[in-house]
Amino acid sequence: MPLPFAPWFLWPFSARYAALGRLLILFLVLALALRLALLVLLAGTAPAPAATLAALMLGTAYDLVTATYWLLPFALLTVVPRRRPTRPAGPVFRAFATTLYALGATVLIFNVVAEWLFWDEFSVRYNFIAVDYLVYTTEVVGNIRESYPLQWLLPVVALGGLAGYFWLRPGLRASFQPDAAFPRRGAAALVLFGLPLLLTALISADTGRLRSSATADELGHNGIYQLFAAFRNNQLDYNSFYRAEKDDRTALRHLRPLLARTGEAFTHPQDLTDITRRVVGAAPDSARRPPSNVIWITVESLSADFLTRYGNTQRLTPNLDTLLDRSMAFDDLYATGTRTIRGLEALTLCLPPTPGYSIVKRPHNDGLFSTGAVFNGLGYRSRFLYGGYGYFDNMNDFFGKNGFLVTDRADFGKEEIMFANNWGVCDEDLFNKALRVADGDAQRGQPFFQFLMTTSNHRPFTYPDGRIDIPSHSGREGAVKYTDFAIARFLRDARRHPWFVNTVFVVIADHCASSAGKTDVPFEHYHIPGLIYAPGRVAPRRVSGLMSQIDVAPTLLGLLGAAYDTKFFGHDVQQAPPGRAFIGTYQQVGLMRDGHLTILAPKRKVDAYTYDLTRPGEQQPTPPLPADVQDAVAWYQGAYWLFNSGHYRADGPEAGQEARPVDGTPGGRR
């Protein structure tokens, strides 16, 4: 007797598939309910009705594909032979099946809650960030515990799982009844296990992409599907997936004039694989070591629009606003990405954001041409100081293998920690540690370059009480204001140390607090503040003109008068801002220039938009400009080849290593 709640294509077989059919229905209903809930969460920023309808239809397709994979463990139970097909299932089978289905229902409810929270934080479905969260469970679980009311969320998940189980119970009871013989079960198994492969061949992560709205595109996806797609696509071969020159030599030839600036000369002008240039520097004696110490503060998630100077009316950053007026301030500075490790990559390696994971997390990322290598070559001691545990996002390994001595939370004594949450010590503790380390280097007569990474402007947004007028754990605005307070206090404390008069300070964000927008790469969510401060040494000025994170280190070295060899893609903006910026996501990379944003995407797609820096949120599709496409390809294909071939190492390709040929063929490090 066919069961009305079993999938139609299984009706001829037996009641054993009743529970499977109910689980499929539960999966699809929860996926649709989540999609509608996210649509409500968008409120006034929801896509147009036509785009919303397309997202719902596309979402159903992705839900079905994902469900076929989700059902595979449960489908295995339909193939397992019983003692006798003509007798009901035994107690062991019943207990195992009941436990598996109850767990499956609970996980589905948990996923709905998790996706809701992830969307609330990032305004997207699961992506590479979620993959990272599965890897770094200690930090993430602790952060979730401190950020969300788990005392309410966990009971909701448990009750939801229980309700799901009661929905599945009738199907389970039916599936325990006498069963069909193996030939019929085998035929059904072919359908159940073949369907995922068939649907995967027909539908990929890019199928049915809704170009009219990035938000609708995210709504149309399935979070579980996106999670595994992100895990699978963590690194993309540029030449295989993106618009590229026919060979790497052509790209490198076009790249060279884009890199060269006044005051720089290629050390090997005939060798396309060597982009090393000699920067003469302002010092009379090119061998003289620049005298200034450097303390570089990279601030977590500090969007430009948090500052009064860039339109904020909440007075969250009174100290940074004042500091901007006393510094060389970069008004049109853009981050290269939306994650801390992408910012660290740009600030230390001065490279555009090549597709996939940041280089900070890639294999073979040691001995690269970095700010640490440059400063060490000038006689400095380079240090990376971080308030959290630096194994997160591979930071300790990356900095330790690229010229920096590493100090992280594990190096803080109990007496050095006034306040900490699961993400790290508060910014004041980090800055106090930096003062002590600087004192030690100064007493030894050692010039120092400190690269600091803050943590307080990160969920759960907690900080010491009594510092500012916004209570701890009340939201990002309070965390921004506390970070502003801590930086001002640090600079006041630093003034009391003898080395202050001989020190240059850099303050810059790693990325913005939000990356979601109406388009895939919304330029306004890459605008960050940045400044270089040194009273009596760096004259206050406003630098207006488009520039990138990768330009800050070359500008700093120019201010120090350093003579050095460089492979940096960034430029010293003292001459003039380069008038271009690089922004991107994990899969899309872009070039901003002269009011045009050119986006290179997988499958060799090229999109373009017009933009106006004074009108955030407004990007209009436009035909790509051939010159912009050619330059974008040269920047990104060249950067990809130089890293993967080993030619972006501080000392060139590794000794004994066969470098990847300069014709785009496979070889060398991957």
Side-chain angles (χ1 to χ4, degrees):
M1 180 73 181
L3 296 168
F5 41 74
W8 65 268
F9 56 86
L10 298 177
W11 285 0
F13 296 99
S14 77
R16 173 173 271 200
Y17 305 97
L20 201 64
R22 286 204 165 219
L23 186 60
L24 172 62
I25 292 172
L26 180 63
F27 186 102
L28 296 177
V29 168
L30 288 176
L32 177 60
L34 174 61
R35 193 168 285 111
L36 294 175
L38 295 179
L39 188 61
V40 173
L41 188 64
L42 288 170
T45 61
T52 299
L53 180 60
L56 294 176
M57 296 173 63
L58 180 64
T60 301
Y62 278 114
D63 294 343
L64 283 170
V65 175
T66 310
T68 61
Y69 280 96
W70 172 258
L71 294 176
L72 287 179
F74 306 92
L76 282 172
L77 294 180
T78 67
V79 186
V80 174
R82 297 176 182 171
R83 291 172 299 178
R84 294 180 184 176
T86 57
R87 297 180 61 183
V92 175
F93 183 90
R94 286 171 178 264
F96 181 79
T98 299
T99 302
L100 183 64
Y101 273 89
L103 181 62
T106 304
V107 170
L108 286 178
I109 299 297
F110 175 83
N111 178 69
V112 169
V113 175
E115 278 209 64
W116 173 277
L117 296 178
F118 192 85
W119 184 284
D120 182 58
E121 175 78 6
F122 299 104
S123 299
V124 293
R125 295 282 195 166
Y126 294 146
N127 55 19
F128 277 132
I129 301 175
V131 175
D132 283 352
Y133 280 12
L134 291 177
V135 175
Y136 300 104
T137 54
T138 301
E139 286 79 4
V140 173
V141 170
N143 184 40
I144 291 172
R145 187 176 61 249
E146 294 175 346
S147 302
Y148 299 104
L150 294 186
Q151 69 275 19
W152 296 105
L153 293 178
L154 292 180
V156 166
V157 171
L159 289 173
L162 186 62
Y165 167 69
F166 276 106
W167 158 254
L168 297 173
R169 276 184 67 186
L172 277 168
R173 289 174 176 171
S175 68
F176 294 152
Q177 299 308 307
D179 192 26
F182 180 77
R184 287 190 173 183
R185 296 202 312 273
L190 289 177
V191 175
L192 291 170
F193 291 98
L195 194 59
L197 299 177
L198 175 62
L199 292 178
T200 300
L202 297 175
I203 300 177
S204 70
D206 293 322
T207 301
R209 188 171 173 79
L210 301 173
R211 296 167 58 85
S212 61
S213 170
T215 302
D217 214 21
E218 292 294 336
L219 279 174
H221 276 294
N222 178 282
I224 298 174
Y225 184 100
Q226 289 294 88
L227 179 67
F228 285 93
F231 187 83
R232 185 177 64 251
N233 299 323
N234 63 349
Q235 194 166 178
L236 294 172
D237 182 85
Y238 183 89
N239 294 48
S240 298
F241 290 96
Y242 291 82
R243 178 74 65 88
E245 297 288 358
K246 61 182 180 180
D247 57 54
D248 293 314
R249 182 175 295 275
T250 302
L252 292 173
R253 183 180 294 110
H254 189 80
L255 176 64
R256 290 175 80 83
L258 298 175
L259 293 175
R261 298 279 280 183
T262 303
E264 299 179 2
F266 285 99
T267 57
H268 298 87
Q270 304 305 316
D271 185 358
L272 291 178
T273 68
D274 190 344
I275 62 168
T276 307
R277 290 99 62 205
R278 182 65 182 172
V279 179
V280 176
D285 179 3
S286 61
R288 182 173 67 87
R289 184 188 67 219
S292 297
N293 303 305
V294 175
I295 296 182
W296 182 303
I297 303 171
T298 305
V299 183
E300 171 73 40
S301 304
L302 186 66
S303 306
D305 57 16
F306 286 133
L307 279 68
T308 304
R309 182 169 184 147
Y310 304 114
N312 191 282
T313 60
Q314 298 171 284
R315 292 286 295 166
L316 299 176
T317 58
N319 299 298
L320 285 175
D321 287 321
T322 300
L323 191 61
L324 283 169
D325 292 331
R326 300 174 181 175
S327 308
M328 172 183 278
F330 309 118
D331 284 340
D332 299 310
L333 173 63
Y334 284 77
T336 61
T338 60
R339 292 290 316 282
T340 294
I341 51 174
R342 189 61 89 181
L344 297 180
E345 170 194 275
L347 297 171
T348 57
L349 302 181
C350 303
L351 276 174
T354 50
Y357 270 128
S358 164
I359 289 173
V360 174
K361 295 191 66 174
R362 293 186 194 175
H364 310 298
N365 64 357
D366 58 302
L368 299 176
F369 192 87
S370 67
T371 53
V374 171
F375 276 99
N376 291 344
L378 294 170
Y380 286 72
R381 175 169 291 164
S382 300
R383 297 182 182 272
F384 171 65
L385 291 89
Y386 178 54
Y389 292 110
Y391 65 79
F392 185 83
D393 271 341
N394 201 47
M395 287 185 283
N396 281 358
D397 183 73
F398 171 78
F399 280 94
K401 292 179 178 178
N402 285 285
F404 292 84
L405 299 174
V406 173
T407 299
D408 74 348
R409 184 172 177 174
D411 300 303
F412 283 72
K414 291 182 178 180
E415 72 284 356
E416 295 179 299
I417 301 177
M418 169 183 57
F419 179 92
N421 56 34
N422 195 74
W423 208 254
V425 302
C426 67
D427 290 352
E428 288 176 89
D429 289 341
L430 173 65
F431 293 147
N432 288 336
K433 183 75 167 181
L435 292 174
R436 288 188 288 270
V437 172
D439 286 342
D441 283 338
Q443 289 170 6
R444 291 186 289 269
Q446 173 64 60
F448 56 82
F449 167 48
Q450 291 188 359
F451 190 102
L452 280 61
M453 182 69 230
T454 73
T455 60
S456 289
N457 187 26
H458 190 289
R459 196 176 293 275
F461 308 127
T462 56
Y463 40 84
D465 293 329
R467 298 305 196 268
I468 59 172
D469 57 0
I470 301 177
S472 174
H473 207 221
S474 60
R476 188 178 291 278
E477 287 75 13
V480 170
K481 194 163 189 176
Y482 168 72
T483 291
D484 175 80
F485 162 85
I487 291 173
R489 185 169 190 170
F490 171 62
L491 292 176
R492 287 196 301 270
D493 291 343
R495 283 182 177 274
R496 295 194 288 268
H497 295 253
W499 45 260
F500 175 84
V501 297
N502 199 36
T503 301
V504 176
F505 296 85
V506 179
V507 181
I508 188 172
D510 58 350
H511 59 86
C512 286
S514 173
S515 60
K518 296 179 180 179
T519 60
D520 290 331
V521 189
F523 77 90
E524 69 274 13
H525 291 311
Y526 292 79
H527 185 204
I528 58 172
L531 61 88
I532 299 177
Y533 172 69
R537 299 182 64 84
V538 176
R541 57 175 288 201
R542 299 184 67 158
V543 178
S544 297
L546 195 59
M547 60 179 289
S548 171
Q549 273 178 319
I550 72 172
D551 301 313
V552 178
T555 302
L556 169 66
L557 289 161
L559 287 168
L560 297 177
Y564 65 103
D565 288 340
T566 183
K567 294 184 180 182
F568 291 152
F569 278 46
H571 295 145
D572 181 353
V573 303
Q574 290 184 95
Q575 302 175 33
R580 55 92 188 99
F582 305 98
I583 61 177
T585 63
Y586 287 101
Q587 294 193 25
Q588 296 172 298
V589 290
L591 171 66
M592 291 176 65
R593 186 171 66 185
D594 298 330
H596 283 79
L597 170 59
T598 303
I599 300 292
L600 307 179
K603 296 187 176 180
R604 305 186 186 279
K605 293 180 181 178
V606 178
D607 295 321
Y609 302 87
T610 58
Y611 67 85
D612 184 342
L613 295 181
T614 65
R615 304 181 69 178
E618 296 189 15
Q619 292 176 216
Q620 301 300 323
T622 187
L625 298 177
D628 284 359
V629 175
Q630 186 178 37
D631 286 356
V633 168
W635 285 109
Y636 286 109
Q637 185 177 353
Y640 178 86
W641 184 87
L642 287 163
F643 170 72
N644 282 278
S645 67
H647 284 81
Y648 205 75
R649 292 180 56 83
D651 54 357
E654 294 173 295
Q657 173 200 353
E658 183 180 354
R660 180 177 175 179
V662 66
D663 60 0
T665 59
R669 298 189 307 160
R670 303 292 294 182

